[in-house]
Amino acid sequence: MSPRNPLEATFARTRLGSGPGLLLAHGAGSSLAGTYGPVLEALAARYTIVGIDYPGSGDTPRSTTPLSVDDLADQLIAAADAEGLDRFAVSGYSLGGPVAIRAATRHPERVTALVLTAAFPHRDNRLALASSVWSKIAASGDRELLAEFQLMMALGTQALESMPAEQLQQTLGYVAASAADGSSEQTDLVGQADVRDDLAGLTVPTLVVSTTDDRLVSTALHRHLAETIPGAELAEIATGHLPMLERTEEWLQLMTDFLGKHNA
């Protein structure tokens, strides 16, 4: 058995399915269900899924101190330990990308593969500005304004402009109601996370999924991951920042095809 992470698992976690291990790291302002919900059932049919909810998401209480990539990565590994998983692939979406990368850096003997979707190694100016505005709106408690900002930034052009007015209002209501209580702290971390020093040392098979109409996390940041992580593969989806909503089946297929080759 590989050495275990001594940290106690304190975040709310989910375990589903059976088969090879697959850890899931969700995006900022969301939750495990919010990020991976549309594909959870299909993934659980193939893998033992273990995922956590960050502080202020799901059933995990908000943090009274600033969040860190190290803490989220360690809690993800602690959840795997608590569920008896020794080796596993890790899928990270958006902020979950740096979390997955840090988990693989700290536990290379346990991670079999990485899938990084709409992810970033550090903030660029656009992401710094967007995360700052997002955090301030979330801290204000104005959920309607937060939902408007999120949809404007996260949905791809085709998905957003094809919505009839009634559907747009319904979607705004859903997004407002489902916003994580810890959105402000989580988006603060988006503006601070920096895993560039981890990339060249990664030794696990890695798939970078680039969302090509992404106005939140630029394709340049996606490409930086793919070009710097040794041997990484790059796949593109013509979608905004939300492939789980805009191109659900295509995103699922990319993940399962890659994991099928590297996580059997």
Side-chain angles (χ1 to χ4, degrees):
M1 295 284 279
S2 300
R4 293 285 179 172
N5 176 21
L7 191 69
E8 180 185 0
T10 59
F11 291 4
R13 64 182 184 270
T14 297
R15 178 186 175 130
L16 296 168
S18 60
L22 175 60
L23 307 188
L24 304 179
H26 68 76
S30 185
S31 62
L32 178 69
T35 293
Y36 287 97
V39 296
L40 268 180
E41 183 177 345
L43 290 174
R46 298 168 179 250
Y47 301 100
T48 300
I49 302 296
V50 173
I52 59 172
D53 285 312
Y54 306 154
S57 292
D59 291 328
T60 305
R62 291 180 74 170
S63 177
T64 57
T65 58
L67 304 181
S68 75
V69 171
D70 285 349
D71 288 345
L72 300 187
D74 286 346
Q75 278 294 322
L76 186 62
I77 300 299
D81 290 345
E83 296 297 339
L85 294 184
D86 184 49
R87 285 173 58 79
F88 34 75
V90 187
S91 173
Y93 164 77
S94 195
L95 174 61
V99 174
I101 288 166
R102 185 56 50 82
T105 299
R106 290 190 164 205
H107 303 276
E109 74 289 348
R110 301 183 65 182
V111 177
T112 59
L114 288 175
V115 177
L116 309 173
T117 301
F120 55 92
H122 66 102
R123 70 180 191 182
D124 60 7
N125 287 339
R126 178 181 298 278
L127 187 56
L129 291 170
S131 61
S132 176
V133 173
W134 190 342
S135 177
K136 290 171 183 174
I137 296 173
S140 77
D142 189 335
R143 285 178 172 260
E144 291 183 2
L145 182 60
L146 179 61
E148 291 176 354
F149 177 78
Q150 286 179 295
L151 282 189
M152 179 185 70
M153 294 298 296
L155 273 180
T157 302
Q158 182 178 356
L160 181 58
E161 299 305 332
S162 65
M163 277 189 183
E166 182 178 355
Q167 183 184 3
L168 179 59
Q169 289 304 311
Q170 290 174 344
T171 304
L172 284 167
Y174 171 79
V175 173
S178 60
D181 291 340
S183 290
S184 180
E185 301 94 272
Q186 293 175 23
T187 50
D188 279 343
L189 181 56
V190 170
Q192 300 162 7
D194 190 336
V195 294
R196 282 175 287 186
D197 290 345
D198 293 9
L199 303 183
L202 290 173
T203 58
V204 300
T206 301
L207 174 66
V208 177
V209 180
S210 176
T211 41
T212 60
D213 192 24
D214 198 327
R215 290 180 295 230
L216 187 63
V217 179
S218 73
T219 56
L221 292 176
H222 308 158
R223 289 195 300 272
H224 183 88
L225 289 172
E227 292 167 0
T228 310
I229 298 172
E233 299 179 25
L234 177 66
E236 296 182 339
I237 300 182
T239 175
H241 195 65
L242 303 174
M244 71 291 296
L245 299 181
E246 298 179 45
R247 295 291 185 93
T248 309
E249 293 303 320
E250 186 177 348
W251 184 44
L252 175 65
Q253 193 69 49
L254 284 172
M255 288 193 287
T256 55
D257 284 352
F258 181 79
L259 292 173
K261 292 187 293 183
H262 298 289
N263 195 40

